[in-house]
């Protein structure tokens, strides 16, 4: 019913809907230190694997990393990092972890690399039209 007084609520993305999340937000890992410092890698799928490779989504030339060192998964509306049975383990915000939920700004360390999770809301770009006479 439209009575002119009722406020329309914005629909929030379903927490389990990966596509809706990535339509609203952009997520990436930024390499803060190590051999690959300054690089950014988009997280745009439900699972991204990291390691020395082969067989990972993000490969780093780092002998302190296992071939398949860690995975960052999108689970229930949030990101979670998993150690994939690596030799040297991983740390989140300085604490050793096997599995840890992540939030914007968290630092993930493994091998000689330090990564930071960055999540930004995508800006709505207004439609623009060019009118020609």
């Amino acid at each position: 019913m439209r009575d002119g007084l009722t406020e329309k609520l914005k629909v929030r993305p379903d927490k389990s809907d990966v596509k809706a999340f990535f339509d609203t937000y952009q997520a990436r890992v930024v390499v803060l230190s190590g051999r690959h410092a300054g690089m950014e890698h988009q997280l745009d799928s439900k699972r991204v694997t990291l390691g020395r490779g082969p067989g990972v989504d993000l490969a780093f030339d780092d002998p302190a990393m296992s071939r398949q060192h860690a995975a960052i998964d999108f689970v229930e509306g949030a990101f979670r990092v998993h150690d994939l049975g690596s030799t040297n383990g991983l740390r989140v915000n300085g604490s050793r972890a096997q599995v840890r939920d992540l939030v914007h700004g968290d630092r993930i360390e493994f091998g000689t690399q330090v990564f930071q999770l960055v999540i930004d809301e995508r800006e709505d770009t207004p439609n623009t039209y060019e009118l020609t006479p």
Side-chain angles (χ1 to χ4, degrees):
M1 174 193 314
R2 293 184 181 201
D3 61 9
L5 302 173
T6 305
E7 183 179 326
K8 183 171 173 105
L9 296 175
K10 290 184 178 179
V11 178
R12 295 180 187 221
D14 178 2
K15 286 189 171 190
S16 62
D17 186 1
V18 176
K19 182 182 176 335
F21 179 86
F22 287 119
D23 285 348
T24 307
Y25 300 96
Q26 95 178 356
R28 62 192 181 278
V29 289
V30 178
V31 185
L32 298 179
S33 67
R35 183 181 231 170
H36 303 278
M39 296 180 73
E40 294 186 8
H41 303 280
Q42 292 294 320
L43 301 177
D44 54 7
S45 62
K46 195 167 176 125
R47 174 173 256 219
V48 175
T49 54
L50 302 95
R52 197 176 69 240
V56 294
D57 299 310
L58 298 176
F60 298 89
D61 182 20
D62 185 344
M65 275 189 194
S66 294
R67 283 182 285 182
Q68 295 186 357
H69 201 107
I72 299 175
D73 294 312
F74 184 79
V75 181
E76 297 176 1
F79 289 98
R80 183 175 294 157
V81 66
H82 298 265
D83 186 315
L84 297 175
S86 68
T87 301
N88 294 320
L90 64 87
R91 293 180 175 278
V92 176
N93 298 324
S95 300
R96 286 186 78 51
Q98 182 65 36
V99 176
R100 180 79 49 92
D101 288 339
L102 300 171
V103 296
H104 170 76
D106 279 349
R107 291 179 181 222
I108 309 155
E109 303 170 42
F110 55 90
T112 59
Q113 314 298 312
V114 177
F115 305 91
Q116 185 170 33
L117 177 66
V118 178
I119 302 171
D120 297 315
E121 192 167 350
R122 292 189 187 276
E123 292 183 23
D124 287 336
T125 308
N127 292 334
T128 57
Y129 302 94
E130 185 177 323
L131 301 175
T132 56

